[in-house]
Amino acid sequence: MSSSTMAQRVAVAINAQRNELWPALAGFTLFFCLFSGYFMLRPIREAMGIVSGVENLQWLFTATFVVMLIAVPLFAWLSSRVPRIHFIDWVYGFFTLNLALFALLFFSAEESVWLARSFYVWISVYNLFVVSVAWSLMADVFDSEQAKRLFAFIAAGASVGGLVGPALSALLVSTLGQSGLILLAAVLLAVALSLKQVLMRWREEGGAGRAGAVRAESPRRPVPGNPFSGLMRVLSSPYLFGIAGFVILLATASTFLYFEQARLVAELFPDRAAQVRVFGVIDFVVQAGALIAQLFITGRVARRMGVRVLLACVPLLVCVGFIGLALMPTFAMLAALMIVRRIGEYAFVRPGREMLFAPLDAESKYKAKNFIDTVVYRAGDAMSGWLKSLLDMLAQGAWLVALVGAACAALWGLLGWYLGGQADQRSAEQQLAATS
C-alpha cells in the first residue's frame, strides 16, 4: 500500500480532508503532549490537596481564583502587544520555566506543606491556561465546519495523553521522583510549542477553511483590545455571557463531585500511596472511556445532530446521577457519577464548548475565551466550593448537595441546548455566506 493511499485512509478515518490530515495530526499530538505532562502531575496535585487538609480545599480554590484574577489581565496585556503567531511562545515558555523551578523546589523541600499548597494552586492555574490557549489556537486555525469534523479527533489526543500520563507517572516516579516527573512535563510542553509552529504555518499558507470561507484577522498582528477587553466582551455579548454561565454551572457540578470524592477518599484510603492509586485508576478509566467516545461518537453526533446535543446530553446524565447519589450516597455511586461526568466533559462538552468559539473573531477567541476559561471557571470553582461547605453545615451526608447539584445540572443542560443551537445557526450562516 502506497503512502498516499495510507494517508487518504487515515484522513477518511478521522473525518479530515486530504489537506487537513497533517494539521489534524499536529493538533492531536499537541494535546497529547499537554495532557501527558499534566496527568503525570495530576496524582501529585490531588495528594497535595489532601496534605493541606480536605477541610481547606475551599481555601485552595479561592487562592486559585485570586491568582487567576492577577494573571488574566497580564496575559491579556501580553496578547495586545505580541503578534498572535508568537503569543503561545511566550505563554508556554513562561510555564516551562515555572515547571523547572518547581522541579528544583520539590528536589530540595519535598515535604513542605506550603510547597504542597503552592503547587496545588499553581498547577490548577497552569492547566487552565495552557489548555485554554491551545483551544484558542485550534479555533484560530480551523473554521466552524472543520471544527465539527476535527475537534473530536484533536481532543482524543488529550485522552490518549490522559492514559499515557498516569502510566508514565506510575512507571517513572520511583526512578525520577516527583521533581523528575515535573521536568519531563516541561519537555513535553516544549514539544507542544514546536507543534504550534506547524499549525500556524499551515494557517498562514492558506490551508485553513474552504475556498471562499471567511478568514479571521492576520495572526501577525496582536489581538486588539486592552487587558480588560475579555471581560468587556463577555458582558456586552449575550452569546459570550451565556457561555460564561454554562462554564459556571459546569464548574459547580464538577466541584460538588470533586469535594465529595476528596472527602470519601480521605476517609476510606488514609495512606498517601493508596490515594494516588485510587486517583490514578479513576483517571485511567475516564481517559479510556473518553478516547473511545471521541474517536467513534463525538464527531458523528456533532455533524448529524449539531453542537446543541453535545452540550445538553451530559448535563442531563449528571442530573440523573445526582438524584441517584441523593438516594444512594456511596463511594461506588459517586465514583460512577464522577467517571460519567468527566468522560462526558472530555468527549462531548469540551469539544462542543470549543466549537462555540470557532465562528467568532480573534478577540473573542483569545481574550474573551481566556477570561471565561480561567477567571470565570475558577470563580465558579470558588463560589461552589463555599456553597458546598455551607450545604454540608446545613445537612449531614450528601443528599442536600446532590439535590442542589441536580438542579444546577438541569440548568446547565438547558443553557447548553440554547448555546449549541446558536452555534449551529452561526455556522450555517457562515457556510451560506462562503458559498454565495
Side-chain angles (χ1 to χ4, degrees), residues 35-378:
F35 277 75
S36 291
Y38 171 65
F39 275 92
M40 280 194 304
L41 305 180
R42 183 183 169 95
I44 301 173
R45 186 198 78 154
E46 305 296 38
M48 294 301 102
I50 291 176
V51 165
S52 297
V54 175
E55 70 279 2
N56 293 320
L57 279 176
Q58 67 267 28
W59 288 104
L60 294 178
F61 276 44
T62 302
T64 302
F65 172 59
V66 171
V67 173
M68 285 292 188
L69 287 178
I70 298 170
V72 167
L74 293 175
F75 279 80
W77 172 84
L78 179 66
S79 70
S80 297
R81 282 156 179 77
V82 176
R84 209 158 76 242
I85 196 170
H86 298 306
F87 175 64
I88 296 180
D89 301 343
W90 286 82
V91 175
Y92 283 10
F94 171 76
F95 281 117
T96 300
L97 292 175
N98 287 179
L99 284 166
L101 177 59
F102 268 108
L104 178 62
L105 291 173
F106 269 93
F107 183 77
S108 58
E110 189 174 41
E111 298 301 321
S112 169
V113 173
W114 281 104
L115 177 59
R117 292 170 177 168
S118 300
F119 184 75
Y120 186 97
V121 170
W122 177 84
I123 204 167
S124 300
V125 173
Y126 159 84
N127 178 49
L128 285 188
F129 263 108
V130 297
V131 174
S132 176
V133 169
W135 276 117
S136 292
L137 171 68
M138 299 306 157
D140 200 0
V141 168
F142 300 103
D143 63 31
S144 298
E145 192 273 338
Q146 290 169 322
K148 286 186 177 181
R149 289 187 288 105
L150 301 177
F151 274 15
F153 172 73
I154 290 171
S159 295
V160 176
L163 288 171
V164 172
L168 288 176
S169 181
L171 290 172
L172 299 177
V173 67
S174 59
T175 303
L176 301 180
Q178 294 181 128
S179 58
L181 291 176
I182 295 172
L183 278 178
L184 182 55
V187 171
L188 289 168
L189 184 59
V191 175
L193 180 56
S194 69
L195 291 164
K196 164 259 170 187
Q197 314 290 350
V198 174
L199 287 161
M200 270 299 190
R201 190 180 308 119
W202 179 73
R203 183 195 189 283
E204 283 208 301
E205 291 171 354
R210 302 160 311 288
V214 178
R215 297 204 176 274
E217 301 89 330
S218 169
R220 295 198 170 273
R221 294 199 300 267
V223 179
N226 58 61
F228 301 99
S229 59
L231 169 62
M232 295 298 103
R233 275 291 180 107
V234 171
L235 294 178
S236 62
S237 167
Y239 182 72
L240 291 171
F241 192 77
I243 297 176
F246 181 87
V247 167
I248 287 175
L249 292 168
L250 182 158
T252 300
S254 302
T255 299
F256 281 8
L257 293 174
Y258 180 83
F259 275 44
E260 280 299 306
Q261 173 188 260
R263 180 181 65 82
L264 288 174
V265 168
E267 290 176 358
L268 299 174
F269 307 96
D271 179 65
R272 173 83 67 85
Q275 293 169 0
V276 172
R277 194 176 302 113
V278 169
F279 291 132
V281 168
I282 291 175
D283 283 346
F284 180 86
V285 173
V286 166
Q287 298 305 323
L291 176 61
I292 292 170
Q294 287 159 342
L295 292 177
F296 300 108
I297 301 174
T298 308
R300 291 170 175 80
V301 171
R303 291 197 318 275
R304 297 175 185 175
M305 306 175 71
V307 180
R308 66 187 346 173
V309 175
L310 293 181
L311 296 181
C313 64
V314 175
L316 177 61
L317 291 175
V318 171
C319 179
V320 173
F322 267 122
I323 294 172
L325 185 62
L327 298 174
M328 191 171 59
T330 63
F331 179 72
M333 174 63 76
L334 175 68
L337 177 54
M338 194 81 175
I339 289 169
V340 168
R341 198 278 307 168
R342 287 178 57 195
I343 289 176
E345 181 177 352
Y346 294 149
F348 297 100
V349 174
R350 190 63 195 247
R353 200 171 108 204
E354 303 310 330
M355 292 173 194
L356 298 177
F357 291 94
L360 305 183
D361 60 283
E363 191 173 357
S364 297
K365 289 175 180 176
Y366 281 85
K367 291 190 173 180
K369 176 176 167 24
N370 183 257
F371 177 79
I372 291 170
D373 287 348
T374 56
V375 173
V376 172
Y377 192 97
R378 287 310 181 199

